């Protein structure tokens, strides 16, 4: 990432392109005919005056403005101006100083685009944001600077995670993830432990080994510890599925859109992003991030339907479909979290089921938990951060469906309620520890990007979790 300079000031420095946010009903800036611009949310009008460009962005009605309104509006503005070749942008937030954080987040998130590896035949005219100015009143400077700084940490880490997420399976393997984690964690108050395939065998991580055994790219298990809280305080465990490519294995997937399965690692990457940001923000709590990483491939050494796999804690899985691989690697990771850290809660993120997309579409992730306070906290945080989650059931009614005649549980229980039965399967490994499962299959990446974002990996879950942790996790 090229470096971005952010200043919080009372008036613009130099001649940046200016973004002005417009609340419905307030007097129109000079030069805009009222029939042309009503200030509907995220509508824009561009004013050119000699060498100054001003983009006016509508926010809609005053009483409906939320943090996410500013996040999206800033995103729309930055995406629009970068297309015009802008490099320096000033956001006029004098009237919205309480929303500096989301506006900075929106601006930085919108500045990321996966440019790929093509030959630079058609040279892009898209600008690269090098300087972002935040304009507020004198009174608000100190608070706005603190807000902008935290927002910058969160959004730039999210962009790093999106960049890794968008890498294809040949360029980003479980080993790449382990190496990248070490590199990114370096210099932070984080300890990183990595299990290679030999160590996974020694320590009985049967689930991660089974899913990874069909690939020439061996699996890894990655654990990050962050201690920002009291010594004796139990940590919160964050667990994320990182399947660097999911072919389905022997139960191979159909060809259409299989390329999208490069994003099957976004749960694990979200956990990496949360851990990096928590350390950089110096959050006053203890966290452990656990990332099981594997590539799910068919082949002579691949695991097969019918196999019975023993996980870390001795529980067994009857594999009925090798494409239900996420829950198998998560079982090991959750068992390790429970046995090694006795966490106060386990929050797990995974692109787990296609059925979750059928149920909720691409705007909301499925939130599966029986912990009412945790559920409410996450739903509320998601409204603030613009990552909507929707409560789904995980009660014991689904547990019966995953019980097996020959093992502790079977990894598929048919089509009916499959997101719910999958969630209940994973919960078995959490035992009595308060457990949250977030199915991010529909939200971890976008194919048709909204106006405030570019397509590809979104980093869903990072802002949401940090917001929840900063508000104090109700456990
Ligand atoms: N990674 C997929 C789920 C997925 C599919 C996410 C499409 C996003 C888009 C997961 O490993 C999977 O294959 N799940 C199967 C489970 C089934 C075999 C029980 C599914 O959802 O079809
Ligand atoms: Zn998968
Ligand atoms: Mn799968």
């Amino acid at each position: 990432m090229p470096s971005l300079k952010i200043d919080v000031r009372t008036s613009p420095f130099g001649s940046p392109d200016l973004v002005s946010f417009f609340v419905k009903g307030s007097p129109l800036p000079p030069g805009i005919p009222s029939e042309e611009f009503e200030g509907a949310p995220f509508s824009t009008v561009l004013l050119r005056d000699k060498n100054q460009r001003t983009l006016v962005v509508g926010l809609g009605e005053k009483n409906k403005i939320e943090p996410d309104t500013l996040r999206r509006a800033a995103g729309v503005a930055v995406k629009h101006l970068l297309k015009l070749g802008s490099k320096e942008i000033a956001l006029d937030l004098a009237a919205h100083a309480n929303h500096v954080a989301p506006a900075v987040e929106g601006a930085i998130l919108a500045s990321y685009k996966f440019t790929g590896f093509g030959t630079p035949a058609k040279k892009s005219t898209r600008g690269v944001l090098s300087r972002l100015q935040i304009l507020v009143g004198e009174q608000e400077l100190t608070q706005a600077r603190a807000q902008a700084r935290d927002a910058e940490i969160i959004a730039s880490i999210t962009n790093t995670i999106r960049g890794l997420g968008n890498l294809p399976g040949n360029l980003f393997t479980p080993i790449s993830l382990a190496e990248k984690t070490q590199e990114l964690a370096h210099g932070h108050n984080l300890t990183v432990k990595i299990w290679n395939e030999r160590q996974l065998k020694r320590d009985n991580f049967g689930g991660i080994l089974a899913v990874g055994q069909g690939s020439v790219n061996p699996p890894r298990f990655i654990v990050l510890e962050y201690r920002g809280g009291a010594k004796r305080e139990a940590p919160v465990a964050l667990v994320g599925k990182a399947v660097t490519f999911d072919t389905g294995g022997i139960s191979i997937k159909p060809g259409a859109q299989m390329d999208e399965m490069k994003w099957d690692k976004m749960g694990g990457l979200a956990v990496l992003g949360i851990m990096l940001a928590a350390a950089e923000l110096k959050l006053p709590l203890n966290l452990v991030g656990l990332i099981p990483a594997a590539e799910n491939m068919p082949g002579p050494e691949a695991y097969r339907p019918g196999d019975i796999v023993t996980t870390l804690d001795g529980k067994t899985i009857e594999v009925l479909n090798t494409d239900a691989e996420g829950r198998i690697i998560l079982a090991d990771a959750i068992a390790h979290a429970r046995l090694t850290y006795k966490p106060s809660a386990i929050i797990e993120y995974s692109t787990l089921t296609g059925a979750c997309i059928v149920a909720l579409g691409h705007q909301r992730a499925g939130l599966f938990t029986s912990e009412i306070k945790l559920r409410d906290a996450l739903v509320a945080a998601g409204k603030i951060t613009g990552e909507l989650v929707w409560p789904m059931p995980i009660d014991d009614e689904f547990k019966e469906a995953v019980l097996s005649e020959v093992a502790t549980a079977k990894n598929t229980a048919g089509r009916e309620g499959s997101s719910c039965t999958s969630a209940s399967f994973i919960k078995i490994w959490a035992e009595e520890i308060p457990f949250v499962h977030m199915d991010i299959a529909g939200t971890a990446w976008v194919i048709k990007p909204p106006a405030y974002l570019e397509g590809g990996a979104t980093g869903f879950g990072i802002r949401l979790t940090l917001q929840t942790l900063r508000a104090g996790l109700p456990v």
Side-chain angles (χ1 to χ4, degrees):
M1 280 286 287
S3 70
L4 167 68
K5 187 169 173 8
I6 300 188
D7 311 301
V8 181
R9 337 170 27 94
T10 54
S11 60
F13 171 81
S15 47
D17 290 315
L18 198 67
V19 176
S20 131
F21 297 98
F22 180 78
V23 179
K24 231 175 175 167
S26 46
L28 276 169
I32 308 181
S34 58
E35 63 276 12
E36 243 173 57
F37 187 71
E38 290 182 344
F42 320 125
S43 59
T44 56
V45 60
L46 184 68
L47 304 172
R48 288 170 201 266
D49 173 31
K50 283 182 226 137
N51 45 19
Q52 169 100 78
R53 280 189 293 220
T54 303
L55 186 68
V56 183
V57 187
L59 293 178
E61 281 162 37
K62 193 177 170 78
N63 58 4
K64 290 194 182 141
I65 297 176
E66 312 241 358
D68 200 44
T69 317
L70 266 297
R71 186 179 291 104
R72 288 179 188 228
V76 166
V78 167
K79 197 172 151 183
H80 189 119
L81 286 170
L82 289 178
K83 280 207 182 108
L84 299 179
S86 288
K87 291 182 179 60
E88 298 195 10
I89 297 175
L91 306 181
D92 183 355
L93 291 168
H96 306 279
N98 54 332
H99 290 144
V100 164
V104 170
E105 282 173 11
I108 299 177
L109 292 170
S111 73
Y112 168 78
K113 186 178 170 69
F114 180 56
T115 47
F117 299 90
T119 44
K122 351 176 219 129
K123 231 181 157 212
S124 167
T125 54
R126 187 176 181 272
V128 174
L129 189 62
S130 62
R131 185 170 198 151
L132 179 67
Q133 299 181 33
I134 302 301
L135 311 178
V136 295
E138 187 83 46
Q139 303 277 300
E140 274 88 34
L141 270 179
T142 313
Q143 215 209 329
R145 283 198 174 117
Q147 276 203 41
R149 185 190 152 274
D150 287 1
E152 183 189 2
I153 291 172
I154 295 168
S156 44
I157 286 173
T158 304
N159 284 350
T160 301
I161 293 299
R162 292 163 75 195
L164 297 176
N166 289 331
L167 292 174
N170 64 328
L171 301 180
F172 198 79
T173 63
I175 291 180
S176 320
L177 177 56
E179 289 173 354
K180 254 298 170 209
T181 300
Q182 262 162 337
E183 181 192 317
L184 290 169
H186 188 82
H188 281 100
N189 179 21
L190 287 168
T191 52
V192 181
K193 295 180 185 159
I194 291 167
W195 279 253
N196 63 24
E197 59 273 35
R198 191 175 40 76
Q199 296 157 328
L200 288 167
K201 257 182 215 129
R202 178 197 68 198
D203 293 343
N204 302 314
F205 286 87
I208 297 174
L209 286 164
V211 172
Q213 75 192 36
S215 173
V216 293
N217 297 308
R220 290 291 182 267
F221 180 49
I222 303 163
V223 175
L224 298 114
E225 295 173 3
Y226 168 69
R227 308 206 147 268
K231 258 215 164 72
R232 284 166 190 282
E233 199 176 277
V236 174
L238 309 172
V239 183
K241 166 181 174 181
V243 172
T244 55
F245 195 79
D246 181 12
T247 65
I250 296 296
S251 316
I252 198 161
K253 288 180 181 294
Q257 283 101 49
M258 202 208 273
D259 58 296
E260 294 183 13
M261 286 298 111
K262 72 172 185 174
W263 285 303
D264 210 19
K265 56 187 182 287
M266 291 318 299
L269 281 173
V271 168
L272 174 57
I274 297 161
M275 296 300 293
L276 292 169
E280 209 165 317
L281 293 166
K282 301 192 167 63
L283 297 191
L285 42 88
N286 298 329
L287 292 175
V288 55
L290 306 102
I291 308 171
E295 184 177 45
N296 189 20
M297 292 286 267
E301 305 203 43
Y303 79 136
R304 21 178 137 43
D307 283 4
I308 297 173
V309 171
T310 304
T311 59
L312 182 74
D313 59 354
K315 294 188 183 69
T316 52
I317 297 172
E318 180 187 11
V319 178
L320 290 180
N321 188 321
T322 63
D323 197 12
E325 82 296 341
R327 65 202 75 182
I328 301 177
I329 64 174
L330 289 166
D332 268 348
I334 289 171
H336 182 73
R338 192 188 83 233
L339 296 170
T340 308
Y341 296 96
K342 300 189 176 31
S344 57
I346 298 174
I347 310 180
E348 170 267 305
Y349 309 77
S350 48
T351 46
L352 199 73
T353 63
C356 188
I357 311 177
V358 176
L360 296 176
H362 293 283
Q363 309 295 329
R364 285 170 191 262
L367 176 67
F368 298 79
T369 181
S370 314
E371 310 294 324
I372 304 303
K373 285 183 184 160
L374 271 175
R375 180 195 74 190
D376 291 349
L378 286 159
V379 169
K383 285 186 187 148
I384 295 170
T385 67
E387 297 154 288
L388 300 179
V389 294
W390 193 251
M392 297 278 282
I394 190 178
D395 314 274
D396 285 345
E397 64 188 280
F398 299 102
K399 218 168 132 184
E400 207 170 314
V402 298
L403 296 182
S404 161
E405 303 265 309
V406 294
T408 309
K410 55 188 180 192
N411 78 333
T412 50
R415 283 164 47 83
E416 295 160 18
S418 96
S419 297
C420 307
T421 54
S422 309
S424 311
F425 174 99
I426 297 172
K427 194 183 174 193
I428 294 172
W429 276 261
E431 294 191 354
E432 300 311 315
I433 297 178
F435 175 68
V436 179
H437 158 64
M438 233 182 270
D439 194 331
I440 59 171
T443 55
W445 70 91
V446 271
I447 300 294
K448 280 185 252 155
Y452 59 93
L453 261 193
E454 297 285 352
T458 58
F460 188 99
I462 299 177
R463 298 193 305 275
L464 164 64
T465 307
L466 292 165
Q467 174 74 31
T468 312
L469 292 172
R470 293 171 97 181
L473 203 67
V475 285

